């Protein structure tokens, strides 16, 4: 992983880019449906605000976060949607202000966490660096939902390297969350970055390989694109199987996007 300050700077920039997409929307536009079933643009931003608040509690108030965890355990299939639904009911200006304030408070809190310190999360404990990376991944993914709903085209940036890193690291989780043993051997992933360089993960001599555009890989592991709609190439049966189930996010396996031809 890169320097935590770099990740936090990139998180701030990613959030600002999404902010520019929604800042001037009319109240009616906030009700625009997004590719996530039942979620409007307001739900997308409300979810980010809700998760930023949870991350802030985890980093600053372990007792308060423990109470939130109990709520999640009581309704594991509903608590994320309920958080988004509650925030989506707010007037757009209030929702936008809440998201902006929350993400700045989280920035301050994560920058203040001493190196090596980990705090609780819904999965394994997180360092400030890992949390910032996860928040960037989610901000980018939900930002893609917003962009798709608005028919906006975003220019891929080097910030995608954080999303790609999580996608590669989460390989075993994608198998295990489906009750399937993860492959024992490591994979090689080679991605064509937006600037023309190559991002690589895993041993160079691995038999199982994935190659292709970094953007496609990030869209796939965040389940914002179907496998058939990417230019990714898999070598090996396990690598091909992974691309069919890949997910960079924690929680239950998502349904993912349908192929473009079926929408």
């Amino acid at each position: 992983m890169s320097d935590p300050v770099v990740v936090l700077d990139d998180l701030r920039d990613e959030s600002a880019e999404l902010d520019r997409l929604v800042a001037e929307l009319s109240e009616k536009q906030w009700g625009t449906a997004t590719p996530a079933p039942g979620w409007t643009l307001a739900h997308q931003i409300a979810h980010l605000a809700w998760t930023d608040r949870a991350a802030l509690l985890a980093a600053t108030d372990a007792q308060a976060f423990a109470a939130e965890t109990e709520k999640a355990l009581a309704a594991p299939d509903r608590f994320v949607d309920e958080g988004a639904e509650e925030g989506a009911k707010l007037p757009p200006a209030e929702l936008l202000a809440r998201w902006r304030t929350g993400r700045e408070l989280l920035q301050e809190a994560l920058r203040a966490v001493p190196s090596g310190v980990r705090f609780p999360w819904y999965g394994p404990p997180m360092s400030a660096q890992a949390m910032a990376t996860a928040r960037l991944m989610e901000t980018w993914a939900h930002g893609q939902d917003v962009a798709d709903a608005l028919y906006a085209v975003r220019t891929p940036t080097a910030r995608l390297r954080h999303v790609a890193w999580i996608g590669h690291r989460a390989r075993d989780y994608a198998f295990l969350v489906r009750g399937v043993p993860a492959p024992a051997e490591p994979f090689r992933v080679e991605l064509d970055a937006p600037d023309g360089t190559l991002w690589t993960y895993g041993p160079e001599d691995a038999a199982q390989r994935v190659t292709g555009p970094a953007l496609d890989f990030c869209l796939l592991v965040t389940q914002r694109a179907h496998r058939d709609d990417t230019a990714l190439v898999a070598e090996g049966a396990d690598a091909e199987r992974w691309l069919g189930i890949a997910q960079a996010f924690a929680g239950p396996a998502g349904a993912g996007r349908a192929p473009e031809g079926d929408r």
Side-chain angles (χ1 to χ4, degrees):
M1 294 178 67
S2 57
D3 184 273
V5 174
V6 173
V7 182
L8 282 161
D9 287 347
D10 284 349
L11 171 58
R12 176 169 284 168
D13 291 346
E14 191 64 43
S15 299
E17 181 178 304
L18 175 54
D19 198 315
R20 287 190 290 272
L21 278 178
V22 301
E24 303 301 325
L25 294 178
S26 67
E27 185 167 353
K28 182 179 179 180
Q29 285 176 304
W30 279 91
T32 301
T34 70
W39 278 30
T40 64
L41 294 180
H43 285 84
Q44 298 287 348
I45 299 303
H47 173 69
L48 291 176
W50 178 87
T51 316
D52 284 344
R53 175 183 173 275
L56 179 63
L57 285 178
T60 61
D61 190 338
Q63 185 174 355
F65 180 74
E68 290 296 310
T69 302
E70 290 180 5
K71 294 178 184 177
L73 292 174
D77 297 327
R78 302 194 314 272
F79 80 103
V80 170
D81 286 336
E82 288 175 352
E85 188 65 36
E86 180 181 353
K89 294 176 182 176
L90 296 172
E94 184 177 345
L95 172 58
L96 194 56
R98 179 177 294 190
W99 176 47
R100 288 169 173 168
T101 299
R103 72 188 200 232
E104 282 304 314
L105 289 173
L106 180 59
Q107 277 274 338
E108 294 171 8
L110 293 180
R111 290 177 189 273
V113 174
S115 177
V117 171
R118 293 179 178 271
F119 44 84
W121 192 236
Y122 295 109
M126 301 277 268
S127 65
Q129 186 176 7
M131 177 60 77
T133 305
R135 297 305 305 129
L136 190 152
M137 178 272 294
E138 190 165 23
T139 300
W140 180 82
H142 288 281
Q144 188 62 45
D145 291 337
V146 171
D148 287 346
L150 295 173
Y151 299 97
V153 178
R154 301 192 297 175
T155 301
T157 73
R159 296 191 296 271
L160 286 178
R161 68 189 185 278
H162 305 298
V163 183
W165 183 86
I166 291 184
H168 169 256
R169 290 278 294 179
R171 185 204 72 169
D172 288 1
Y173 180 79
F175 284 91
L176 296 176
V177 76
R178 289 165 175 80
V180 179
E185 60 181 308
F187 291 3
R188 175 71 169 183
V189 178
E190 297 182 353
L191 304 174
D192 300 314
D195 64 358
T197 59
L198 191 67
W199 296 339
T200 61
Y201 310 92
E204 191 172 358
D205 61 350
Q208 303 286 327
R209 306 172 67 86
V210 171
T211 59
L215 175 60
D216 286 11
F217 183 76
C218 292
L219 288 169
L220 184 72
V221 299
T222 57
Q223 296 190 357
R224 264 58 186 184
H226 190 274
R227 166 78 176 94
D228 294 347
D229 297 323
T230 72
L232 297 170
V233 176
E235 298 179 28
D238 285 340
E240 183 61 52
R241 190 174 299 112
W242 177 41
L243 292 187
I245 62 172
Q247 67 178 71
F249 51 89
R257 294 274 183 96
E260 288 187 1
D262 294 344
R263 297 177 200 168

